[in-house]
Amino acid sequence: MAEQVKKPIGITETILRDAHQSLIATRMSTEQMLPIIEKMDQVGYHSVECWGGATFDASLRFLKEDPWERLRKLKAGFKNTKLQMLFRGQNILGYNHYSDDVVEYFVQKSIANGIDIIRIFDCFNDLRNLETAVKAAKKEQGHAQIALSYTLGDAYTLEYWKDIARRVEELGADSLCIKDMAGLLLPYKATELVEALKEGTQLPIQLHTHYTSGVASMTYLKAVEAGVDVIDTAMSPFSMGTSQPATEVMVETFKGTEYDTGFDQNLLAEIADYFRPMQEEALKSGLLNPKVMGVDIKTLLYQVPGGMLSNLVSQLKEAKAEDKYYDVLREIPEVRKDFGEPPLVTPSSQIVGTQAVLNVLQGERYKMVTKESKKVLAGEFGETVKPFNKEVQKKAIGDAEPITCRPADLIPPQLDKFREDIKEWMQQEEDVLSYALFPQVAMDFFKHRQAQQTSVDVTAADTANGAYPV
Ligand code: CO
């Protein structure tokens, strides 16, 4: 009998980023992470995704933590495991396009503070929006992974995926990821998709999906059989639902096959034991809604990511128009078509969703057009796979000439101005980047940080003066 060729599948663990972002509004704190990372470091993960996405904003805004400090602490603990972050192309971690100098500096500082792999994506899959970040990552000797946002629609044929995979390789990426944020990729479609990608590129291929629609672990199985190299999973206490399939389950699935990860299930069990009380606590406090742990079949029917559905519900609740939910769900694909059929992922998901809500509430399509919708239709986010609806475009931006170049080519350098704005608050170089992305939130954080330090100083001084027993 011929010896079995081993092709162990790589695992990216998401519990420190996407899993808690998807299930508990990104509220896991650094203090909650640190006690377990030494054990996690022994597992043998391909990488641990632990930074970027919404973690940056949530740290500053809700947890009053410096995200850069979190990264440095994680790096100190993960001695053997590569750290990975999610990066929104020219949006970095924000919602608008930034100038190239900001993008380059953010990449440089991310790698300098401990990131090994930068997963870079664009909500339109407009590769021009990834050029600067990919180049910067290469320059800093980081691993530049390009993630393509997965979506369905007439334009997204196997030919499209094969061709864009080829272009991803040409751009200089080290690997390619399919980012299925909505959980739309079905098991047998995954086989076809992975085969098409492999025809287009020799790069290692990673698959990122969400359990939202209930098919994710089957999709991983078919994708691995079709030759995917790495999959994204989350430790069981924060897995499934709107998060990823469970790490332990996928590891066990491939045990004894050519794809065997070789991970120690006892070690994984110890890690799961650490996180389980955190899950129970989140359920008790209401931070974790049991609803997001189930299967949401609406996501397959309407092809809308889970996070976008919950946003819609709250927008409609605020407008006291909850009865319009299904009208809005039917309006979303219409707006998406008018906008050139982009994938629905941050920030396009918010832009399309909000416009659909307005169209329904106003009782007339595009009677009101949001500032962001205008930007999209003016080409300021880049190029969509299909052309915009000309009539809608005219209604939104009038006779203004839409731009067709790479949007950031029109943005002058911004870094010096940001540095000037915060010079009296700056305590580390990285502060200018926090401020660039979230000016108000970062400023509030800087003030909070200084107030904390002042109170510590006062205590120390009083102690030194003998005011307190030592
Ligand atoms: Co995700």
Side-chain angles (χ1 to χ4, degrees), residues 122-377:
D122 175 66
C123 71
F124 289 171
N125 289 337
D126 182 344
L127 298 186
R128 297 173 307 170
N129 292 335
L130 308 178
E131 280 168 15
T132 300
V134 169
K135 265 189 214 140
K138 298 305 298 170
K139 191 176 160 212
E140 302 300 323
Q141 258 111 74
H143 176 120
Q145 175 174 80
I146 289 185
L148 298 171
S149 305
Y150 181 75
T151 191
L152 301 169
D154 299 343
Y156 300 93
T157 59
L158 291 175
E159 213 34 57
Y160 166 87
W161 294 113
K162 181 181 152 183
D163 181 60
I164 198 167
R166 181 184 56 74
R167 291 194 289 132
V168 162
E169 186 173 329
E170 277 170 13
L171 200 62
D174 295 298
S175 61
L176 183 157
C177 172
I178 289 293
K179 176 178 165 62
D180 177 22
M181 52 280 166
L184 297 177
L185 182 57
L186 302 174
Y188 287 94
K189 293 288 176 196
T191 306
E192 293 176 8
L193 176 66
V194 172
E195 285 170 359
L197 294 170
K198 287 179 100 65
E199 277 178 40
T201 178
Q202 307 269 337
L203 291 176
I205 298 175
Q206 183 156 2
L207 183 57
H208 174 89
T209 188
H210 288 253
Y211 210 88
T212 323
S213 65
V215 301
S217 49
M218 293 182 282
T219 298
Y220 277 165
L221 181 60
K222 297 308 283 183
V224 167
E225 287 177 354
V228 137
D229 301 280
V230 186
I231 54 174
D232 287 14
T233 65
M235 288 302 299
S236 56
F238 287 97
S239 71
M240 302 200 279
T242 48
S243 174
Q244 275 78 50
T247 305
E248 303 96 303
V249 173
M250 295 317 302
V251 164
E252 200 63 15
T253 298
F254 296 115
K255 202 169 174 181
T257 73
E258 61 194 290
Y259 310 112
D260 198 334
T261 61
F263 290 3
D264 175 359
Q265 280 289 6
N266 292 316
L267 178 60
L268 292 177
E270 285 176 46
I271 297 167
D273 285 345
Y274 174 80
F275 285 108
R276 200 166 298 108
M278 221 182 279
Q279 181 219 47
E280 284 158 10
E281 189 50 46
L283 275 169
K284 241 187 271 166
S285 72
L287 185 57
L288 176 56
N289 183 340
K291 263 191 188 164
V292 302
M293 302 295 278
V295 167
D296 186 349
I297 221 66
K298 281 204 280 302
T299 186
L300 287 181
L301 285 173
Y302 296 99
Q303 299 171 10
V304 165
M308 200 174 155
L309 291 172
S310 53
N311 262 352
L312 286 182
V313 172
S314 58
Q315 281 185 15
L316 288 172
K317 220 179 213 169
E318 237 168 73
K320 298 210 178 353
E322 285 150 286
D323 58 316
K324 297 283 199 295
Y325 182 65
Y326 286 96
D327 295 332
V328 173
L329 281 182
R330 279 187 288 270
E331 178 65 8
I332 287 171
E334 299 300 321
V335 174
R336 187 176 162 233
K337 266 195 199 121
D338 293 336
F339 287 15
E341 215 168 51
L344 296 176
V345 60
T346 308
S348 60
S349 50
Q350 287 87 338
I351 299 172
V352 169
T354 305
Q355 189 59 53
V357 169
L358 276 180
N359 285 0
V360 167
L361 293 186
Q362 297 283 316
E364 185 191 324
R365 311 190 65 222
Y366 305 105
K367 188 176 177 185
M368 270 177 72
V369 181
T370 65
K371 205 173 84 199
E372 280 74 23
S373 294
K374 283 181 188 168
K375 277 190 183 175
V376 167
L377 294 165

Side-chain angles (χ1 to χ4, degrees), residues 93-108:
L93 308 175
Y95 306 105
N96 283 305
H97 272 51
Y98 293 92
S99 58
D100 287 335
D101 65 337
V102 178
V103 174
E104 283 160 2
Y105 200 44
F106 203 100
V107 168
Q108 185 189 328

Side-chain angles (χ1 to χ4, degrees), residues 6 29 73 82 87 147 270 276 379 416:
K6 294 261 185 280
S29 68
K73 284 178 177 165
K82 291 198 165 100
F87 194 102
E270 285 176 46
R276 200 166 298 108
D416 288 346

